[in-house]
Amino acid sequence: MLLIATLFAASGAIRFGSGIAQAFATDTGAQDAQPVQTAEECISEPGVMLMLKEVQAREKKLREGEQLLSDRSQAIALAEKRIEDRLALLVEAERNLSQTVTMADQAADEDVARLVTVYENMKPKEAAPLFAAMAPDFAAGFLARMRPDASAAVMAALEPQVAYSISVIMAGRNAGAPQE
């Protein structure tokens, strides 16, 4: 047993001595002669290397996708700005057009009112040939705006068939209007 214990002690001393020697060699820079290894050199399994390349490829695709999304986001923001600007222009154009249409409608109403006044001031026998020459819809519009007494005098001076067709148009004008 003594022999076995001696052998264990000798083995421990040898190992302890070699560990101390390595520690002193590290402190003095004796191991600096070994080259530094990169991550690719350290990994020796082909499956791990393949996985590393796939992860790097996916990372590259993600960066490209992020850049594409950023570009699209900027393009969308620019397009939204342009749409808002054009919408503002359209609203302004619509407002101007509405004003123009209102002015044109008012001018047309004023012109028709003047003609109605002219026809009312004419003698019925002079106005009747003019109304007979007009299309019945057109004549009915003027006669509906005239004072009832002037309109009645002109209708009396018209031929019966012309007066009848104008009367039918005038009577049917509001037939389709809602009752309530």
Side-chain angles (χ1 to χ4, degrees):
M1 269 281 218
L2 185 59
L3 180 62
I4 294 176
T6 307
L7 287 176
F8 274 134
S11 169
I14 291 173
R15 286 188 180 182
F16 184 70
S18 68
I20 291 175
Q22 278 185 345
F24 282 124
T26 304
D27 285 342
T28 60
Q31 286 188 339
D32 287 341
Q34 292 181 354
V36 177
Q37 294 178 339
T38 62
E40 285 100 9
E41 292 172 345
C42 290
I43 301 171
S44 61
E45 293 183 35
V48 174
M49 289 301 295
L50 182 61
M51 191 181 320
L52 177 65
K53 287 181 181 178
E54 287 178 6
V55 168
Q56 289 172 341
R58 285 184 181 176
E59 183 180 356
K60 183 180 177 185
K61 283 183 182 179
L62 284 174
R63 274 187 260 126
E64 290 172 354
E66 287 175 356
Q67 183 63 38
L68 182 63
L69 286 175
S70 174
D71 292 346
R72 284 184 181 174
S73 176
Q74 290 174 356
I76 288 172
L78 182 63
E80 286 176 347
K81 173 86 169 93
R82 287 182 182 170
I83 288 171
E84 288 173 3
D85 292 345
R86 288 186 180 175
L87 184 60
L89 288 173
L90 284 174
V91 167
E92 180 67 21
E94 182 181 17
R95 189 178 55 79
N96 290 340
L97 180 62
S98 177
Q99 289 175 349
T100 302
V101 167
T102 301
M103 288 174 30
D105 286 346
Q106 289 174 350
D109 284 343
E110 289 174 8
D111 290 343
V112 169
R114 276 191 211 108
L115 276 174
V116 166
T117 303
V118 168
Y119 291 141
E120 284 177 338
N121 292 327
M122 289 176 72
K123 293 182 180 176
K125 292 203 184 243
E126 293 172 353
L130 292 173
F131 281 92
M134 291 180 196
D137 290 339
F138 195 66
F142 282 115
L143 288 169
R145 288 180 169 218
M146 291 172 66
R147 291 185 324 265
D149 61 324
S151 178
V154 170
M155 291 284 278
L158 288 172
E159 292 182 23
Q161 287 189 331
V162 174
Y164 173 76
S165 63
I166 292 173
S167 297
V168 168
I169 292 170
M170 287 175 69
R173 257 190 195 184
N174 295 320
Q179 300 295 323
E180 293 179 21

